[in-house]
């Protein structure tokens, strides 16, 4: 009797011959790039370094497209965006020690935003491993230790035969919900040594689905069906699971108002009658959500920003669907369902009863009216006009990437993303410098549509070197730099808290001249001409820079009241 697990696929004669006679001139680096290609990778990001040269030499013998950035952290941001846009694991090739460590902030953002980044780093030669002080260039006593608290998983290689399996295991880890960054480490001598191993072909690294337990979704469906005032908070997990269609169907069946978190922008149609939009930093929204007798939280851990700085105190029953086990019930007691958002929403769609509620849309409209009145009373027309100009200029299907800057903080609450997986920011970890290199990664993922990056002048200087990358690869990114001569949001925070700001003012370079020195067209605009200038820049092929000198202010918070 033959069982399925006893079946072994026999190689053909041609395959056997190829395995016995691999092409000459290959090294351990070839095993890396062959494995990546076998897993389905088409584009890799990175920066070469002495110990990693075996991988980079192998790239020229492969069909992989290489996008080289000027700073490792920026390469990590580009890989992060590529992973968010494609849903594929984005390979990031790095060198040992300083090169690897410089990527840590980007990997923290990828971890916070559940972006699938496959970082592959070199290591000092095998003879130097073990924690001794051998004096090798870039030597660290334990390089992996710097990454264990940041990435999902660490995979070490000490022999060439381990390379395919280690990379495949890392790939599967990166793409298992919740997605995230992973780390593979390979010594220099293993990468450089000639290899006689067969060429790596197709690899199997299929991530397992995180399936909801049916008894839990049955209870959730019962609670939602019988709720008097259900509401939904939709987070980034809905976007990553490509579940916005299922969310819309469920909300309409339940007549449940929906608010999207900043990471979940676009998960629900902005102008839908049930859309509370994204005004999470407003007490009117917080009060509405607290009043729900059953609150469904999908793909969000209800962290600091999503809970109006932890002032949100739900009074009703909470149902939380979350693929990240560490986030499940981490902030509020709930009926916790550990599952991918798409699978859990499908299970609910199959079991909930339709509700009739003629008041739901009116209650949503009332909340949004209160929010608009609060903002209108603060006389912030400049900020709203600038954001509206950006929205008009940006094509509906174009992605945008926002740095940590005042205009981005406005966009979290007030920008209509016009589609799932189109608006991204660094609000996961909150580091500066994300917007422009991330936009470059998105443009590499899809060259057919323009990409917008938005930065302040402070954040722009973190990634100004990547203008060379944009020009070298002719990436279709328009970079809007809002120049207020300093770290604007920190200026506001310090002034509000201490009465005056310290260390927030910056010398202002001529960003237009700087862009043009890289061969990138630049223009200085005004709030009145921003829409037209931005539209022209986005319509022109290749990279461009639009500089807006303006002092923007934030709307008043409500969590301090």
């Amino acid at each position: 009797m033959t069982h399925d697990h006893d079946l072994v696929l026999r190689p053909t004669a041609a395959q056997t011959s190829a395995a016995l006679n691999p092409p000459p001139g290959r090294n351990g680096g070839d095993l890396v790039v062959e494995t990546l290609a076998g897993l389905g990778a088409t584009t890799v990001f990175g920066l070469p370094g002495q110990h990693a040269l075996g991988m980079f030499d192998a790239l020229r013998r492969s069909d992989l497209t290489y996008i080289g950035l000027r700073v490792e952290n920026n390469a990590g941001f580009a890989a992060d965006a590529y992973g968010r846009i494609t849903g594929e694991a984005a390979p990031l090739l790095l060198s040992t020690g300083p090169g690897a460590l410089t990527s840590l902030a980007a990997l923290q953002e990828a971890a916070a935003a559940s972006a699938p980044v496959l970082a592959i780093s070199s290591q000092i030669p095998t003879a130097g491993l073990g924690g001794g002080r051998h004096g090798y260039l870039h030597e660290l006593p334990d390089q992996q230790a710097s990454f264990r608290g940041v990435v999902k998983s660490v995979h070490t290689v000490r022999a060439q035969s381990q390379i395919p399996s280690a990379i495949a295991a890392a790939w599967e880890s990166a793409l298992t919900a919740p997605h995230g960054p992973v780390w593979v480490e390979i010594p220099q001598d293993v990468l450089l040594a000639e290899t006689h191993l067969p060429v790596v072909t197709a690899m199997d690294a299929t991530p397992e689905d995180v399936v909801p337990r049916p008894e839990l979704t049955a209870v959730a469906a019962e609670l939602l069906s019988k709720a008097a005032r259900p509401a939904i908070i939709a987070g980034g997990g809905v976007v990553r699971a490509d579940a916005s269609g299922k969310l819309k169907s469920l909300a309409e069946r339940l007549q449940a108002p929906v608010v999207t978190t900043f990471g979940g922008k676009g998960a629900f149609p902005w102008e839908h009658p049930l859309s509370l939009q994204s005004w999470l930093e407003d007490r009117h929204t917080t009060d509405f959500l607290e009043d729900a007798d059953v609150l469904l939280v999908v793909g969000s851990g209800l962290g600091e920003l999503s809970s109006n700085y932890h002032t949100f105190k739900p009074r009703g029953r909470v149902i939380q669907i979350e693929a990240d086990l560490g986030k499940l019930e981490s902030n509020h007691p709930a009926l916790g369902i550990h599952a991918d958002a798409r699978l859990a929403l499908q299970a609910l769609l199959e079991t909930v009863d339709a509700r009739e509620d003629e008041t739901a849309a009116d209650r949503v409209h009332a909340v949004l009216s209160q929010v608009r009145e609060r903002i209108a009373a603060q006389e912030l027309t400049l900020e709203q006009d600038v954001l509206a100009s950006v929205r008009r200029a940006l094509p509906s299907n174009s992605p945008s990437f926002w740095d940590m800057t005042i205009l981005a903080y406005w966009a979290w609450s007030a920008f209509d993303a016009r589609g799932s997986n189109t608006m991204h920011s660094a609000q996961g970890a909150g580091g500066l410098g994300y917007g422009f290199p991330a936009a470059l990664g998105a443009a590499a993922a899809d060259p057919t549509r323009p990409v917008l990056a938005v930065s302040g002048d402070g954040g722009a200087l973190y990634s100004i070197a990547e203008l060379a990358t944009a020009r070298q690869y002719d990436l279709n990114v328009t970079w809007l730099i809002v120049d207020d001569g300093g770290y604007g949001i920190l200026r506001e925070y310090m002034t509000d808290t201490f009465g005056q700001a310290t260390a927030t003012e910056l010398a202002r370079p001529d960003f237009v001249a700087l862009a043009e020195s890289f061969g990138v067209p630049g223009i200085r605009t005004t709030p009145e001409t921003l829409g037209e200038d931005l539209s022209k820049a986005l319509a022109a092929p290749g990279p461009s820079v639009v500089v807006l000198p303006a002092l923007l202010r934030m709307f008043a918070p409500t969590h301090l009241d």
Side-chain angles (χ1 to χ4, degrees):
M1 182 176 181
T2 301
H3 299 280
D4 288 344
H5 59 265
D6 294 328
L7 296 176
V8 177
L9 296 177
R10 299 185 181 279
T12 65
Q15 289 171 326
T16 301
S17 175
L20 292 173
N21 302 284
R26 294 163 61 247
N27 59 25
D30 287 274
L31 296 173
V32 172
V33 298
E34 289 166 6
T35 302
L36 291 174
L39 288 166
T42 58
T43 303
V44 301
F45 300 87
L47 199 69
Q50 178 177 326
H51 291 151
L53 294 181
M55 286 191 293
F56 285 85
D57 177 62
L59 281 174
R60 66 184 173 87
R61 293 186 289 278
S62 78
D63 293 327
L64 295 175
T65 297
Y66 170 66
I67 305 293
L69 287 93
R70 290 351 190 229
V71 181
E72 288 86 353
N73 200 52
N74 294 335
F77 284 144
D80 166 303
Y82 187 96
R84 295 193 200 194
I85 291 294
T86 64
E88 302 169 3
L92 172 64
L93 306 185
L94 302 167
S95 192
T96 318
L101 295 177
T102 303
S103 73
L104 274 170
L107 294 177
Q108 184 189 4
E109 175 58 39
S114 297
V117 176
L118 173 54
I120 304 176
S121 167
S122 57
Q123 175 58 295
I124 62 173
T126 307
L129 299 176
R133 297 180 63 84
H134 302 281
Y136 284 98
L137 182 70
H138 306 329
E139 181 180 301
L140 290 167
D142 186 357
Q143 181 174 267
Q144 301 166 41
S146 297
F147 294 86
R148 284 199 182 94
V150 176
V151 299
K152 277 187 71 177
S153 56
V154 170
H155 308 259
T156 57
V157 170
R158 296 296 179 257
Q160 288 185 345
S161 60
Q162 299 172 0
I163 290 175
S165 294
I167 293 178
W171 181 280
E172 183 175 325
S173 175
L175 290 176
T176 297
H179 293 174
V182 294
W183 181 260
V184 180
E185 180 182 279
I186 311 174
Q188 178 190 28
D189 53 321
V190 175
L191 289 170
L192 288 176
E194 184 180 2
T195 186
H196 300 288
L197 293 171
V199 173
V200 183
T201 54
M203 296 291 296
D204 182 16
T206 305
E208 294 185 8
D209 291 330
V210 184
V211 181
R213 288 167 47 195
E215 71 274 19
L216 295 179
T217 54
V219 173
E222 179 76 4
L223 291 171
L224 289 165
S225 300
K226 294 182 177 180
R229 298 178 310 283
I232 300 174
I233 299 177
V238 176
V239 175
R240 289 186 291 275
D242 192 20
S244 57
K246 295 186 184 300
L247 173 67
K248 179 173 177 288
S249 297
L250 182 65
E252 290 174 344
R253 187 172 300 180
L254 292 171
Q255 284 298 293
V258 179
V259 63
T260 59
T261 70
F262 305 150
K265 296 286 290 187
F268 195 73
W270 189 256
E271 298 293 346
H272 193 284
L274 293 172
S275 174
L276 285 163
Q277 301 178 355
S278 299
W279 289 97
L280 284 166
E281 292 189 53
D282 190 285
R283 192 65 218 177
H284 299 302
T285 302
T286 307
D287 290 342
F288 184 93
L289 295 172
E290 287 181 345
D291 186 54
D293 62 337
V294 179
L295 179 67
L296 174 63
V297 183
V298 190
S300 171
L302 290 181
E304 183 178 31
L305 298 180
S306 301
S307 62
N308 202 356
Y309 298 90
H310 295 299
T311 62
F312 170 57
K313 306 295 181 185
R315 295 190 294 271
R317 188 73 183 269
V318 177
I319 302 165
Q320 186 184 14
I321 297 168
E322 177 56 60
D324 188 337
L325 195 59
K327 293 181 179 179
L328 204 62
E329 295 191 68
S330 61
N331 286 307
H332 299 280
L335 173 64
I337 302 176
H338 182 219
D340 179 83
R342 183 180 183 86
L343 299 176
L345 288 171
Q346 179 60 39
L348 291 178
L349 278 171
E350 293 172 358
T351 49
V352 297
D353 297 329
R355 290 181 65 258
E356 297 292 335
D357 188 345
E358 297 179 359
T359 69
D362 290 338
R363 289 186 289 121
V364 167
H365 179 74
V367 172
L368 294 179
S369 295
Q370 289 176 309
V371 172
R372 282 192 289 268
E373 289 171 7
R374 188 178 79 85
I375 299 300
Q378 298 176 43
E379 299 182 356
L380 297 167
T381 55
L382 170 63
E383 290 75 7
Q384 294 178 81
D385 289 347
V386 167
L387 196 62
S389 294
V390 173
R391 181 60 278 173
R392 285 194 300 271
L394 184 65
S396 292
N397 67 337
S398 284
S400 58
F401 291 82
W402 304 69
D403 213 333
M404 300 297 286
T405 186
I406 285 178
L407 190 60
Y409 293 8
W410 269 93
W412 292 350
S413 294
F415 193 74
D416 177 3
R418 291 189 186 169
S420 182
N421 203 26
T422 57
M423 180 182 169
H424 300 275
S425 70
Q427 54 90 23
L432 275 172
Y434 175 80
F436 187 52
L440 298 180
D446 183 0
T448 65
R449 53 184 179 170
V451 182
L452 175 68
V454 181
S455 300
D457 56 304
L461 290 172
Y462 273 64
S463 46
I464 203 74
E466 304 311 338
L467 283 168
T469 302
R471 181 74 285 164
Q472 179 172 346
Y473 298 100
D474 200 29
L475 295 169
N476 199 12
V477 174
T478 293
W479 192 7
L480 172 61
I481 301 174
V482 182
D483 183 3
D484 67 0
Y487 300 119
I489 192 66
L490 299 180
R491 181 191 288 138
E492 285 208 5
Y493 287 165
M494 293 193 78
T495 302
D496 290 345
T497 305
F498 307 111
Q500 61 183 18
T502 304
T504 59
E505 305 313 299
L506 301 173
R508 305 167 99 152
D510 185 337
F511 284 107
V512 172
L514 198 53
E516 290 174 344
S517 74
F518 285 92
V520 175
I523 186 173
R524 186 172 287 99
T525 190
T526 66
E528 293 75 25
T529 60
L530 172 62
E532 180 181 356
D533 290 337
L534 199 56
S535 294
K536 290 179 180 177
L538 286 161
S544 58
V545 171
V546 177
V547 181
L548 173 65
L551 182 62
L552 305 181
R553 295 183 299 135
M554 272 304 294
F555 53 82
T558 62
H559 66 279
L560 301 176
D561 294 343

